[in-house]
Amino acid sequence: MLPLILENLCFSAGEREIIRSISCEITAGTRTIILGPNGAGKSVLMRLCHGLLTPTSGRVTWQEADAARRARAQAMVFQRPIVLRRSVLANVLYALKLAGVAAGERRPRAENVLDAVGMSALADRPARVLSGGEQQRLALARAWALRPEVLFLDEPTANLDPAATRNIEAIIGAIHDSGAKIMMTTHSLGQARRLGDEILFLNAGRLVEQASVDEFFRQPRTPEAAAFLHGELP
Amino acid sequence: MNDISQALSAAAQLIVSADTTLVSIIALSIKVSLVAVLIAAAIGLPAGALLAIARFPGRQALVAVLNALMGLPPVVVGLLIYLLLSRAGPLGEFGLLFTPAAMVVAQAVLVTPIVAALTRQVIEDAWFEYEEQLRSLGAGTMDAALTLLWDTRFALVTVLLAGFGRAAAEVGAVMIVGGNIDGVTRVMTTAIALETSKGDLPLALGLGVVLLGIVIGLNLLAHWVKLGAQRYHG
Ligand SMILES: Nc1ncnc2c1ncn2[C@@H]1O[C@H](COP(=O)(O)OP(=O)(O)OP(=O)(O)O)[C@@H](O)[C@H]1O
Ligand SMILES: [Mg+2]
């Protein structure tokens, strides 16, 4: 699947240019964190990479020619998670069924991931009445159960309390250790430091900086990134 | 005033004593409308869901036509089906005219567009919310249609009951294709029309009360089922 190569990637909605000519290479093994102010285009960039949006121009290239296999190798946890009107367990089983996992293997796998995100006790509860944070954890469990090679996480801890955040960060670490590529956005600089290997810094639809976490936080190369780190970017 | 109260008490008498004519008319009405709604559901639910999700040229035009078909004038539908089923008509050999089957056909023709159009609306609203998540999980058009039919099941119960109400309350089409034959094709609405014109107000009123009761009762029931289910499932 990897590296993922973006070439002059552009996306506009009507007159508005949302992603402006982004080119970069995203390699295997690293945890890539996309940083940037609200509206910078982080979520749209992830959707373009995941194939949910079609670029206006430019290219997204994975090292996998077969479209079905390419799709199956990825999973995404959305900024606003959508869960189905059925039980928590059934939500995970549903995803596994769509992914073509053998019937006998689905239940153990689903129970495993729910256990790992601390939701075993909620397995039979209807998912739509869970709290926002619980739904987010369910969405992560559902994506994790698919054992993707590439996992997109759009602010996966935005609605979580500190304990759940630590739990989810540990899980993201475990998913990374299992060999999956992590691509995520966050507004927590502390989290970016803790979890990230590499930073993509976006502002107003442009890729302003691509750097290792160390470099980026020690010595940002651009004034925009420096201003962002000091909380000064509008 | 006196006439009315006399007729009302006579009607109450008929209902309380479960008058055999009254009961058989009610039973036939319910049977015919129930079968018609089942047919309408079998066609309208999947058709509405696919129309909401699939993207193809001419889709908007089809939606407009479907919405227009909701307002089909029953007498015209009755007339067309009469022509189809009459002895000289293309389907005359089956001898369906003036049988309950003909009435089922007429009601199904009237109700199917209603079920399909309302289903399309419900599913399209849900699709707007679920689309990216389902596509990310690898759901094709068929998977998505089935998933959304199940996820909107409480709203769709209301759709089917609206269809049943329309079928049971309809008089023009069943009068023409059924013929209002005593003991064979006489249903509540045609009986009410006939008895009123003959001046037998007690039977007409009794049937009217039952018809009102069925339609209102079913809708109340649907309302409570939906409310309870939504409170539980979100
Ligand atoms: N489908 C769309 N149509 C039109 N505009 C869109 C669409 N999707 C996103 N946008 C716009 O594109 C810009 C970038 O959106 P995006 O969701 O990627 O921001 P973001 O960086 O994820 O912000 P946040 O940190 O608030 O999540 C926003 O101004 C948004 O209004
Ligand atoms: Mg976003």
Side-chain angles (χ1 to χ4, degrees):
Chain A
M1 277 294 280
L2 292 155
L4 163 65
I5 295 168
L6 309 182
E7 289 167 284
N8 302 320
L9 187 64
C10 296
F11 182 79
S12 320
E15 293 286 276
R16 280 206 54 196
E17 296 176 53
I18 296 170
I19 296 294
R20 302 165 192 239
S21 193
I22 290 185
S23 299
C24 67
E25 181 171 328
I26 291 165
T27 51
T30 54
R31 286 160 296 186
T32 301
I33 312 276
I34 305 175
L35 288 180
N38 291 130
K42 305 181 293 294
S43 298
V44 170
L45 179 61
M46 287 235 223
R47 286 186 170 87
L48 285 164
C49 294
H50 189 28
L52 291 174
L53 292 175
T54 310
T56 312
S57 64
R59 277 199 304 192
V60 173
T61 316
W62 296 95
Q63 313 307 309
E64 166 66 71
D66 184 64
R69 242 181 292 164
R70 204 162 55 219
R72 190 147 295 173
Q74 308 171 36
M76 179 156 175
V77 175
F78 291 85
Q79 194 165 359
R80 260 173 284 169
I82 300 294
V83 297
L84 301 177
R85 197 166 271 115
R86 49 188 88 190
S87 75
V88 166
L89 180 67
N91 263 275
V92 182
L93 294 174
Y94 173 84
L96 291 172
K97 186 173 174 204
L98 275 186
V101 174
E105 203 192 322
R106 289 177 209 152
R107 214 187 153 90
R109 250 213 234 184
E111 283 169 350
N112 247 331
V113 290
L114 288 178
D115 192 36
V117 299
M119 292 189 75
S120 292
L122 302 178
D124 296 324
R125 288 263 291 277
R128 299 279 283 194
V129 295
L130 295 177
S131 78
E134 288 166 341
Q135 291 195 10
Q136 210 161 17
R137 274 193 281 160
L138 169 56
L140 179 66
R142 183 173 60 186
W144 188 17
L146 299 173
R147 299 189 182 155
E149 284 177 51
V150 180
L151 180 58
F152 295 98
L153 302 164
D154 200 351
E155 299 188 32
T157 62
N159 298 312
L160 300 184
D161 62 45
T165 300
R166 237 174 302 134
N167 170 235
I168 294 301
E169 287 185 3
I171 287 165
I172 294 172
I175 298 174
H176 165 70
D177 290 339
S178 75
K181 165 76 190 178
I182 304 279
M183 244 179 120
M184 72 179 260
T185 68
T186 177
H187 283 297
S188 155
L189 297 181
Q191 184 170 66
R193 270 208 185 89
R194 282 193 298 279
L195 286 184
D197 298 308
E198 168 190 57
I199 302 285
L200 295 184
F201 175 66
L202 257 62
N203 190 26
R206 290 185 200 286
L207 176 59
V208 177
E209 206 166 320
Q210 179 173 20
S212 76
V213 165
D214 272 357
E215 277 173 346
F216 184 80
F217 283 103
R218 201 153 16 91
Q219 192 57 265
R221 286 194 302 270
T222 58
E224 278 157 293
F228 176 75
L229 288 176
H230 288 112
E232 286 160 4
L233 210 65
Chain B
M1 198 62 223
N2 210 23
D3 275 4
I4 295 179
S5 59
Q6 267 180 9
L8 266 178
S9 73
Q13 194 71 46
L14 283 176
I15 295 173
V16 171
S17 68
D19 177 76
T20 46
T21 317
L22 185 94
V23 169
S24 69
I25 291 174
I26 294 169
L28 182 64
S29 279
I30 294 179
K31 227 185 302 179
V32 167
S33 297
L34 212 56
V35 176
V37 167
L38 285 179
I39 294 171
I43 301 169
L45 290 177
L50 285 176
L51 196 52
I53 291 171
R55 291 289 174 269
F56 51 90
R59 174 179 165 272
Q60 280 306 334
L62 207 57
V63 169
V65 168
L66 189 60
N67 285 336
L69 287 180
M70 282 209 287
L72 275 181
V75 273
V76 177
V77 170
L79 175 60
L80 290 177
I81 293 175
Y82 179 94
L83 293 175
L84 283 176
L85 299 184
S86 67
R87 194 141 322 143
L91 303 175
E93 57 189 297
F94 300 109
L96 290 179
L97 200 61
F98 305 134
T99 67
M103 297 153 76
V104 167
V105 172
Q107 291 191 354
V109 168
L110 283 169
V111 173
T112 300
I114 296 177
V115 171
L118 296 179
T119 300
R120 201 259 328 152
Q121 188 62 59
V122 167
I123 302 279
E124 199 165 302
D125 291 347
W127 181 233
F128 185 74
E129 185 190 347
Y130 288 55
E131 176 177 2
E132 289 198 324
Q133 181 68 65
L134 293 185
R135 279 175 54 208
S136 172
L137 291 174
T141 302
M142 275 296 171
D143 301 311
L146 289 174
T147 303
L148 290 186
L149 281 171
W150 180 245
D151 248 59
T152 57
R153 56 197 179 275
F154 307 126
L156 294 179
V157 168
T158 316
V159 167
L160 292 184
L161 281 163
F164 182 84
R166 161 97 171 177
E170 189 285 315
V171 51
V174 287
M175 183 75 97
I176 295 176
V177 302
N180 193 25
I181 303 166
D182 194 5
V184 184
T185 59
R186 184 161 297 172
V187 289
M188 285 191 273
T189 53
T190 56
I192 291 172
L194 176 72
E195 302 305 334
T196 306
S197 67
K198 281 196 333 200
D200 184 355
L201 289 184
L203 186 55
L205 262 176
L207 286 166
V209 167
V210 171
L211 183 55
L212 258 181
I214 289 175
V215 171
I216 292 175
L218 271 176
N219 279 295
L220 282 180
L221 184 73
H223 184 72
W224 291 117
V225 166
K226 194 180 162 195
L227 219 63
Q230 267 174 353
R231 200 163 296 151
Y232 179 72
H233 274 285

